[in-house]
Amino acid sequence: LNEVCTRLSGLGLPSTCVQRGPELLSRGEHRRAAAMARTAALIPFLIASFVAAVLFWQADAVALLLLKDVSVAPIVRLICLGIAGYRLRTTCLLLLKAWQRFGLLGALRVSNNLVRLLSLGGYWLAGIEGLLATLVIGQWLLALVALVMLRDVLFSEARLAAPLQLARYSAPYYLNGFVRFGTMQADQLLVGVALLPEQLATYYVIRQLFDFLVMYVDTLVDSFLPRLSELRVAGRDRVNQAFRWTSRFLAVAVIPLCCIVASLSYPLLEVYGGAKYLSANMPLATLALAALFYTSYSYYGAHVYALGRPVEHLGQESVGSLLNVGLGLLLMTGLGIQGFA
């Protein structure tokens, strides 16, 4: 629900900040960049708040669609309370990336992982409601901390960028958000709709381990992205030089880790999920090896994103999304969660 609402509410505005922000800052246009950032933070937050209110109102229907059980509607309503906070935190992460404040960005990501760990304490105290309440409160606290980190950008003045002009430029990124959802998140949604809740729970466990690899790769690639936006001003030779060095660095940093996770899938599941999830060791090994290809896809995509036109990045993501959803549905019918992995 958080991911869907994030896609609906963003309008592509935060992505435009990541692409255009470093270039504007390198040219000394700080006020223009800050106005764009304020617009990209405010409008998606307002839209996310409205969408969350609608989902809160229609919680029974959402529970019936996703969990096949209308009695869990109160849990859906609890999740809805955190949607706007999740949207705001996500926007601030992108703005920290655009402004190249990687120390603060890393601290916020580590804090988010700590919140997820603390949520286990909430589960121990009050069950699933306690876990979700901890996550919701944590998202809002992290969003407020992120606003403090960006106070010199967001609150130095009240000037906004022209919303319609910014939205028109960002439209391919907005469409790309839904396409990206198909590439990275639709598997969990389709497994939940098409298979049994027990299979969704198993897939969720292995996806969590896969997501740690994705987060690791994204952290590495994200550190290069703002620099790429600056290098487009310096010329093609500088871009080529940076590409050669960073691709070698990524290979050394990612390949050994993915191979280790794939080879240790069984003991990792035993520690992380428990005995009832051990049958998913092959899907986990498959996803760990898939992280190698995700690294190449993400790294090449970062160059298209930073150096190309928005519509070119949309085309790249569209191919990935169609393959992920189409092949996933085709293979899931005979192989279950292994097919989607």
Side-chain angles (χ1 to χ4, degrees):
L1 283 176
N2 277 329
E3 289 295 335
V4 170
C5 292
T6 297
R7 302 297 178 228
L8 284 172
S9 60
L11 301 183
L13 304 183
S15 297
T16 296
C17 287
V18 176
Q19 195 229 15
R20 297 287 310 281
E23 183 182 353
L24 292 174
L25 293 172
S26 68
R27 296 206 304 253
E29 299 182 45
H30 296 276
R31 293 187 65 192
R32 184 181 172 190
M36 182 173 62
R38 282 188 287 272
T39 306
L42 177 62
I43 293 179
F45 174 74
L46 294 176
I47 296 174
S49 300
F50 174 76
V51 172
V54 172
L55 290 175
F56 188 94
W57 175 46
Q58 293 293 328
D60 291 349
V62 175
L64 193 60
L65 174 65
L66 294 181
L67 297 171
K68 318 292 191 300
D69 185 0
V70 74
S71 67
V72 297
I75 292 177
V76 173
R77 292 190 179 94
L78 182 57
I79 294 172
C80 291
L81 295 177
I83 286 175
Y86 183 83
R87 169 70 266 180
L88 187 58
R89 182 189 69 86
T90 303
T91 299
C92 289
L93 284 173
L94 292 173
L95 294 179
L96 286 170
K97 184 197 304 184
W99 264 253
Q100 302 186 46
R101 299 179 181 183
F102 296 116
L104 297 176
L105 178 63
L108 204 61
R109 284 178 166 163
V110 170
S111 299
N112 185 57
N113 290 331
L114 290 176
V115 168
R116 293 170 68 176
L117 289 175
L118 289 173
S119 69
L120 298 177
Y123 180 79
W124 181 71
L125 291 173
I128 189 67
E129 291 85 357
L131 182 145
L132 291 172
T134 305
L135 289 174
V136 168
I137 295 171
Q139 293 303 315
W140 278 106
L141 289 176
L142 290 173
L144 293 174
V145 170
L147 289 176
V148 173
M149 292 176 174
L150 290 163
R151 61 188 182 278
D152 59 315
V153 176
L154 298 176
F155 304 117
S156 57
E157 57 180 319
R159 177 173 170 245
L160 298 175
L164 292 179
Q165 181 180 353
L166 189 60
R168 279 196 297 270
Y169 181 87
S170 305
Y173 292 136
Y174 185 47
L175 294 175
N176 183 68
F178 295 100
V179 172
R180 181 73 173 174
F181 179 82
T183 305
M184 297 303 300
Q185 300 292 339
D187 53 347
Q188 296 180 82
L189 178 64
L190 293 173
V191 167
V193 172
L195 300 180
L196 297 173
E198 292 79 8
Q199 292 172 297
L200 174 61
T202 300
Y203 192 73
Y204 180 78
V205 169
I206 63 173
R207 264 304 301 251
Q208 287 294 297
L209 291 168
F210 172 70
D211 285 345
F212 283 122
L213 291 175
V214 169
M215 182 178 67
Y216 173 68
V217 171
D218 286 346
T219 300
L220 295 175
V221 174
D222 286 350
S223 64
F224 306 143
L225 186 55
R227 185 62 178 158
L228 285 174
S229 297
E230 293 180 355
L231 287 176
R232 67 188 297 178
V233 181
R236 190 181 186 86
D237 289 340
R238 290 290 305 278
V239 172
N240 291 341
Q241 182 182 11
F243 180 86
R244 287 192 296 270
W245 186 89
T246 52
S247 59
R248 292 167 186 165
F249 171 78
L250 277 176
V252 172
V254 174
I255 291 176
L257 179 62
C258 292
C259 292
I260 289 172
V261 172
S263 62
L264 297 178
S265 60
Y266 192 91
L268 282 173
L269 277 173
E270 190 170 17
V271 172
Y272 187 76
K276 64 181 179 180
Y277 297 117
L278 291 179
S279 62
N281 67 305
M282 282 304 296
L284 175 58
T286 303
L287 286 175
L289 295 176
L292 293 172
F293 299 98
Y294 172 77
T295 302
S296 296
Y297 176 82
S298 181
Y299 181 60
Y300 298 146
H303 284 74
V304 177
Y305 177 71
L307 305 175
R309 294 176 296 137
V311 70
E312 293 170 337
H313 190 243
L314 174 62
Q316 174 216 343
E317 291 284 4
S318 297
V319 174
S321 181
L322 288 172
L323 287 173
N324 187 45
V325 175
L327 289 176
L329 287 172
L330 180 66
L331 297 174
M332 184 174 63
T333 55
L335 299 174
I337 61 174
Q338 172 65 31
F340 233 124

